[in-house]
Amino acid sequence: MVIDTEYFTLHSLCEGVYAAIAKPGQGAWSNAGIVDLGDELLVFDALGTPSAGKELRCQAENITGKKVKYLINSHYHGDHVFGNQVFMDTTIIATSLTHKWCEEKNKIDDVEKEERGMEHYLLKLNNQIDVTDDAILKKSLINQFNEMSKVLRDLHNMNILLPSVLFEEKLIIKGASQSVELYCLGGGHSPSDTFMYLPTEKIAFMGDLITEDLHVPVYDSTEFLSILQVVKQMDIEMMVPGHGGIGRMAMCDTILDYLSLLFQRATEAHHSKITREDFIADFELPIQYQQWQGVNGIKANLSKVYTDLQPTR
């Protein structure tokens, strides 16, 4: 079963488990999941705008005839939590660190000031789109422009709703006919990254720990690697990434290889006493990553890994 909406396509992964795969530039901005627990529903991530979040909840309740009881926030980034307000009558679950960062980073004190800031950012993006000759970068910038435009459209009606139930490393949610396991093994892409595992179905909703053909921003490169090394040992047959299409464990291998390459090259640069600036400037992007998108390309991640591996004095 596939349901096509303005914001995403909804895929049935197995009985009672669905993946909402975002359409680029339409306001969903990230993927989400729906699990029928038996008597009620669980939703994993709320998408990037209230409008997209509303459509997600409507689809979930329409196809199952049940109400959403739980919403999981994988991490604090707006493209995963700006739809939270649509779930204000549910139990919103996240780690305490995600709650903290969501409260601090997503708070809107002055809507008009926020609007002006976003308009300025969109103007800057538009100028970048006009001057770049790099086709991959241009595509990334256009998608960023379109998604941020949808956020700006919803900004006046946006209410940043925070998680109400907090956990740290593991939480099991048991329903009448289905259980899910939430894990937070640290922070790789953000300070705290939660993923959801369905052990019977061997399905994992990974948030932005796994993405497809994307230079996903790295928050802590060492923890990112260690998290994925644990995930690699789990019995997972199907993965839903935070961005991109549904895949299998090979998606984890791809990100592990990517991070390992950055580690190897940054370590070599430190041993050779190469500066960060020269390391980034001289880095030759391997062919398997040349079509990957991201408004900062690989440069931001090269800088982050280089800094993370900086020898302490």
Side-chain angles (χ1 to χ4, degrees):
M1 181 201 77
V2 178
I3 297 175
D4 192 56
T5 78
E6 177 183 352
Y7 305 98
F8 54 81
T9 54
L10 193 62
H11 300 256
S12 175
L13 305 185
C14 63
E15 185 176 356
V17 182
Y18 308 87
I21 304 301
K23 292 183 174 180
Q26 297 302 308
W29 207 348
S30 65
N31 298 334
I34 300 165
V35 179
D36 185 343
L37 297 173
D39 297 325
E40 61 272 320
L41 305 178
L42 178 148
V43 171
F44 184 84
D45 276 340
L47 304 182
T49 59
S51 295
K54 181 179 180 181
E55 180 66 20
L56 177 66
R57 181 167 187 174
C58 286
Q59 289 293 337
E61 295 183 343
N62 285 342
I63 61 175
T64 64
K66 300 171 186 178
K67 295 294 184 182
V68 176
K69 183 174 182 179
Y70 303 104
L71 170 68
I72 314 302
N73 287 161
S74 65
H75 60 295
Y76 82 93
H77 291 160
D79 56 329
H80 296 258
V81 304
F82 281 170
N84 272 15
Q85 69 190 64
V86 177
F87 300 88
M88 64 184 305
D89 60 333
T90 74
T91 299
I92 303 179
I93 302 173
T95 65
S96 56
L97 201 51
T98 291
H99 179 283
K100 176 180 181 291
W101 279 70
C102 192
E103 184 175 29
E104 293 178 358
K105 301 295 184 179
N106 297 334
K107 189 175 182 181
I108 300 176
D109 291 320
D110 186 333
V111 174
E112 291 184 357
K113 181 180 179 181
E114 195 75 26
E115 279 186 330
R116 290 193 297 271
M118 290 181 68
E119 287 168 352
H120 177 75
Y121 176 67
L122 287 169
L123 181 61
K124 183 180 177 181
L125 278 176
N126 201 43
N127 290 336
Q128 287 181 271
I129 292 168
D130 288 341
V131 300
T132 186
D133 294 324
D134 186 321
I136 300 299
L137 178 58
K138 186 183 288 285
K139 188 175 181 180
S140 301
L141 292 168
I142 290 172
N143 186 65
Q144 183 83 354
F145 181 89
N146 291 336
E147 297 289 8
M148 287 299 296
S149 296
K150 299 300 189 299
V151 174
L152 179 59
R153 182 191 64 186
D154 275 13
L155 191 61
H156 259 291
N157 299 316
M158 193 176 293
N159 174 27
I160 304 301
L161 196 63
L162 298 175
S164 54
V165 171
L166 308 181
F167 80 103
E168 298 308 321
E169 296 179 2
K170 181 178 180 180
L171 178 66
I172 298 176
I173 300 174
K174 295 183 178 180
S177 62
Q178 175 67 276
S179 296
V180 303
E181 299 176 359
L182 303 179
Y183 291 91
C184 180
L185 307 178
H189 166 65
S190 79
S192 182
D193 293 298
T194 295
F195 65 94
M196 180 172 71
Y197 179 52
L198 283 66
T200 302
E201 293 77 9
K202 302 179 182 180
I203 297 172
F205 290 82
M206 295 303 304
D208 284 357
L209 289 169
I210 299 293
T211 55
E212 182 184 33
D213 296 344
L214 177 69
H215 294 289
V216 59
V218 174
Y219 175 80
D220 186 313
S221 56
T222 303
E223 284 205 2
F224 212 146
L225 263 177
S226 66
I227 292 167
L228 293 187
Q229 285 164 351
V230 173
V231 170
K232 176 67 177 170
Q233 303 306 312
M234 298 176 70
D235 189 7
I236 298 171
E237 293 184 354
M238 189 179 299
M239 279 188 167
V240 180
H243 300 269
I246 301 162
R248 298 188 181 278
M249 185 60 83
M251 300 185 84
C252 184
D253 294 330
T254 298
I255 303 298
L256 272 171
D257 289 345
Y258 173 81
L259 291 171
S260 298
L261 173 68
L262 269 57
F263 258 74
Q264 176 190 342
R265 298 290 179 83
T267 300
E268 292 169 355
H270 282 301
H271 286 165
S272 301
K273 300 190 184 306
I274 297 171
T275 66
R276 182 176 62 179
E277 291 72 20
D278 287 343
F279 168 59
I280 295 171
D282 295 340
F283 185 86
E284 293 186 10
L285 188 63
I287 189 170
Q288 64 264 39
Y289 307 125
Q290 289 179 5
Q291 298 301 309
W292 284 26
Q293 293 189 45
V295 293
N296 295 311
I298 199 172
K299 291 182 179 180
N301 287 341
L302 289 172
S303 177
K304 187 68 178 69
V305 175
Y306 183 97
T307 302
D308 285 349
L309 298 181
Q310 188 89 42
T312 56
R313 296 183 179 181

